[in-house]
C-alpha cells in the first residue's frame, strides 16, 4: 500500500525557514514525479513545486520562486521542500503527492496524496 507521510511543518515568524519532508513507502518511487501542494483556508489547493524522477526538471509557482527549493533523495524515497523567507501568505496545509503506476509524465499525473502538514507563518 502506497503511503506518503509529510513532516517538518510548524509555526515560524515571517522571514524564517522550514524544511518539509515527505517519506514515501509501499514501493520504489525512484521513477515517480513528485510534488508539493498547499491549501490555505477558504482557498483551492495549488501546486507549489514539482520535480521529475531524476531531479532534472523542477517547476515552481511564481509566488515561491527564489524562496522555495524542491529536492529528492531516491535512495531514501523522500522528497523535500526547503522554504526560506517565509511570508504570512505561505500559511497553509502542505501536501506531497506522487504518480501512480504509470510514471514519467511531465508535469506528473498525481494519484497518491499524503495527509498534509500545517505551516503557519506569523507576521
Amino acid at each position: 500500500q502506497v503511503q506518503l507521510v509529510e513532516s517538518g511543518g510548524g509555526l515560524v515568524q515571517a522571514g524564517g525557514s522550514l524544511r518539509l519532508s515527505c517519506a514515501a513507502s509501499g514501493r520504489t518511487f525512484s521513477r515517480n514525479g513528485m510534488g508539493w501542494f498547499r491549501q490555505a483556508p477558504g482557498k483551492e489547493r495549488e501546486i507549489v513545486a514539482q520535480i521529475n524522477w531524476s531531479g532534472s526538471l523542477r517547476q515552481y509557482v511564481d509566488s515561491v520562486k527564489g524562496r522555495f527549493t524542491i529536492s529528492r533523495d531516491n535512495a531514501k524515497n523522500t522528497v523535500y521542500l526547503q522554504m526560506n523567507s517565509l511570508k504570512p501568505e505561505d500559511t497553509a496545509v502542505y501536501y506531497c503527492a506522487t504518480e501512480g503506476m504509470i510514471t514519467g509524465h511531465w508535469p506528473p499525473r498525481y494519484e497518491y496524496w499524503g495527509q498534509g502538514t500545517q505551516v503557519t507563518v506569523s507576521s
Side-chain angles (χ1 to χ4, degrees):
Q1 183 177 353
V2 173
Q3 189 173 19
L4 302 176
V5 179
E6 303 96 336
S7 61
L11 173 64
V12 64
Q13 288 189 333
S17 297
L18 285 173
R19 189 194 194 202
L20 305 183
S21 298
C22 173
S25 62
R27 59 179 173 89
T28 183
F29 292 88
S30 60
R31 290 291 178 176
N32 282 47
M34 301 191 76
W36 286 97
F37 291 73
R38 67 184 178 187
Q39 187 167 20
K43 295 187 176 181
E44 293 187 353
R45 184 170 58 189
E46 67 171 348
I47 180 72
V48 176
Q50 49 195 355
I51 187 170
N52 74 332
W53 69 274
S54 66
S56 63
L57 296 174
R58 307 182 195 204
Q59 194 171 58
Y60 301 91
V61 67
D62 285 346
S63 60
V64 308
K65 285 180 180 177
R67 300 188 298 122
F68 290 12
T69 302
I70 188 170
S71 62
R72 64 188 297 160
D73 184 338
N74 286 339
K76 296 182 178 180
N77 268 359
T78 300
V79 64
Y80 305 98
L81 186 67
Q82 178 66 44
M83 306 187 295
N84 298 328
S85 303
L86 282 160
K87 304 176 180 180
E89 50 263 43
D90 295 317
T91 295
V93 178
Y94 284 72
Y95 302 88
C96 70
T98 190
E99 297 177 285
M101 294 303 296
I102 300 175
T103 63
H105 295 100
W106 186 259
R109 298 179 183 178
Y110 298 102
E111 293 190 16
Y112 298 108
W113 299 83
Q115 293 300 305
T117 185
Q118 176 70 46
V119 171
T120 303
V121 185
S122 63
S123 57

